[in-house]
Amino acid sequence: MLRPSIRPRHSIPIIPHRRCISAYGYTQAKALVYSQHGEPADVLKLHGHSISPAHSSQVTLRFLASPINPADINQIQGVYPSKPPFTQTLGTPSPAAVAGNEGVAEVLSTGSSVKSVCKGDWVLMRSTCFGTWRTHAQADESELLKIDKTGLSPVQAGTVSVNPCTAYRMLKDFAPLRPGDCFIQNGANSGVGRAAIQLGRLWGLKSINVIRARPDTDSLKDELHALGADVVLTEQDLSSRGLSSSLPAAPKLGLDCVGGAPTTALAKLLSPGSPLVTYGAMAKQPLRVPPSLLIFRDIRFAGFWVSAWADRNPEGKCAMVAELLRLVREGRLRDAPVREVRWLPDTPEATLKEAVQGGLEGFRGGKGVFVFPE
């Protein structure tokens, strides 16, 4: 059984610099690829290939950390809106795509016309569908976003693009919240939920946080309170009589990643005229909206997809990422716990696939993150 390590986000590992390179200047790489959609355990394959020396505007990269997000798994299953094209660019027997959307990489070398990055810089991917579950890659300079790596670990840098950015935008863009205002969210122990708690606290907002009951509910509540949560409830608590009168204030914004009956119960607690923003559907159940919420409460329903927002706002993404990384660097923003999965040159395919499959389990001890110590 895979036994990934759990390590606090603020620690900074020492990663020696050693390249997998042949005598002819070709970088040897491995990638988790799939040639058809399906369950990760059935369709993922570990593929080895060579990367030629960078030229013109090309940049050769060594990945440092690549998270395993639910959206990555949905993409492999073929149920996610964005799907990378299947190609034979990497020399696979059949047209294939590299899995993974988020991660941080180090620049190994650049072509002669590259101006924005140089050897040793850390970069994020500007867009989704890049394929980050691999040891090395080659990209055009325009596909990369350089970040300031000072004081950051690879895991911190590699997990900023999805969860913290989602929380940031939803708190900023859907309601004119002011210090003292309150928002409510389900999935509060998720990466987005934990980021929302901390950002809300920094911005003077009160948070009401809903989680699923589990064997360690009390310890999880304590953990979220330590991050800055004002109220932590279970889904069962949402149906309690008199709950609204016990809350610090009527929430002016709702954040939903669950769906189904628990989200309907959450929406009933919102202040009249408030928005409920859905960014996930972990329960895989439709959201049922009572007409009374529309007619008499004027509750507004909206959706948010951070990938689409980032594609429309590339400069805004740069500024947001820089601000979030500054907060991480200052110790004022911590993401969810992670389970580091070491991807070494000789790590077998089965180990990597097991880590991906673990992302489908409930009540996980932390998000899986591939790390590449060389």
Side-chain angles (χ1 to χ4, degrees):
M1 180 181 293
L2 176 66
R3 297 182 181 275
S5 61
I6 299 178
R7 193 163 54 85
R9 288 284 307 271
H10 58 270
S11 61
I12 302 176
I14 298 174
I15 301 181
H17 295 266
R18 182 163 55 88
R19 293 181 59 179
C20 296
I21 191 166
S22 72
Y24 298 97
Y26 283 74
T27 300
Q28 303 306 306
K30 291 185 178 181
L32 276 176
V33 304
Y34 56 104
S35 297
Q36 60 183 359
H37 295 117
E39 292 303 315
D42 299 327
V43 301
L44 285 178
K45 302 294 182 183
L46 184 61
H47 174 69
H49 62 102
S50 299
I51 299 175
S52 60
H55 63 86
S56 186
S57 61
Q58 293 178 335
V59 180
T60 301
L61 306 170
R62 179 176 76 87
F63 272 90
L64 303 175
S66 300
I68 304 169
N69 289 308
D72 302 325
I73 297 174
N74 294 155
Q75 200 171 63
I76 296 168
Q77 293 168 329
V79 297
Y80 202 67
S82 64
K83 299 178 179 67
F86 291 159
T87 73
Q88 289 185 284
T89 305
L90 304 185
T92 51
S94 302
V98 180
N101 291 278
E102 187 181 22
V104 62
E106 178 188 34
V107 174
L108 292 182
S109 62
T110 63
S112 58
S113 65
V114 173
K115 305 297 182 185
S116 62
V117 297
C118 60
K119 182 178 180 180
D121 285 342
W122 285 11
V123 295
L124 308 179
M125 285 59 253
R126 287 189 177 272
S127 301
T128 57
C129 297
F130 181 89
T132 58
W133 294 357
R134 50 173 137 189
T135 60
H136 301 78
Q138 196 165 82
D140 190 84
E141 176 184 16
S142 63
E143 298 179 88
L144 306 175
L145 170 60
K146 177 183 174 181
I147 62 171
D148 178 4
K149 65 182 180 181
T150 306
L152 298 173
S153 74
V155 173
Q156 288 172 327
T159 55
V160 73
S161 298
V162 175
N163 292 337
C165 287
T166 297
Y168 185 105
R169 291 263 59 94
M170 291 193 299
L171 291 177
K172 286 284 190 181
D173 294 349
F174 290 90
L177 300 178
R178 299 177 179 178
D181 285 343
C182 184
F183 70 93
I184 187 170
Q185 64 170 343
N186 54 29
N189 59 302
S190 67
V192 173
R194 291 168 184 258
I197 289 170
Q198 296 173 85
L199 291 173
R201 181 197 61 195
L202 291 173
W203 298 337
L205 306 176
K206 297 182 182 298
S207 64
I208 302 168
N209 303 276
V210 183
I211 59 174
R212 289 184 296 167
R214 62 199 67 206
D216 62 341
T217 295
D218 289 339
S219 62
L220 179 57
K221 286 184 175 182
D222 291 342
E223 190 176 336
L224 298 183
H225 281 302
L227 290 178
D230 293 279
V231 177
V232 183
L233 308 169
T234 65
E235 291 179 346
Q236 290 74 15
D237 294 332
L238 292 176
S239 58
S240 300
R241 290 182 177 274
L243 175 62
S244 58
S245 62
S246 67
L247 300 178
K252 295 185 177 181
L253 172 67
L255 308 179
D256 165 45
C257 67
V258 176
T263 298
T264 303
L266 182 150
K268 293 178 180 179
L269 296 173
L270 290 171
S271 175
S274 299
L276 177 72
V277 184
T278 294
Y279 67 97
M282 299 303 292
K284 298 182 180 179
Q285 296 293 324
L287 173 59
R288 297 177 179 177
V289 182
S292 59
L293 290 182
L294 300 172
I295 300 170
F296 306 118
R297 303 287 301 281
D298 192 26
I299 301 301
R300 313 297 176 86
F301 293 84
F304 180 71
W305 186 19
V306 71
S307 298
W309 184 95
D311 289 343
R312 295 193 305 268
N313 301 273
E315 297 307 316
K317 177 181 178 178
C318 293
M320 174 174 57
V321 165
E323 181 178 352
L324 289 168
L325 289 179
R326 175 181 60 82
L327 294 174
V328 172
R329 199 176 287 113
E330 294 172 353
R332 297 198 286 166
L333 178 63
R334 292 177 292 150
D335 200 4
V338 301
R339 298 183 299 167
E340 294 189 0
V341 182
R342 291 166 58 85
W343 185 332
L344 300 170
D346 58 350
T347 299
E349 176 184 296
T351 298
L352 302 177
K353 291 169 66 173
E354 183 181 351
V356 176
Q357 201 68 25
L360 298 171
E361 299 173 356
F363 304 141
R364 300 184 303 275
K367 175 195 292 191
V369 180
F370 291 122
V371 293
F372 306 87
E374 274 198 77

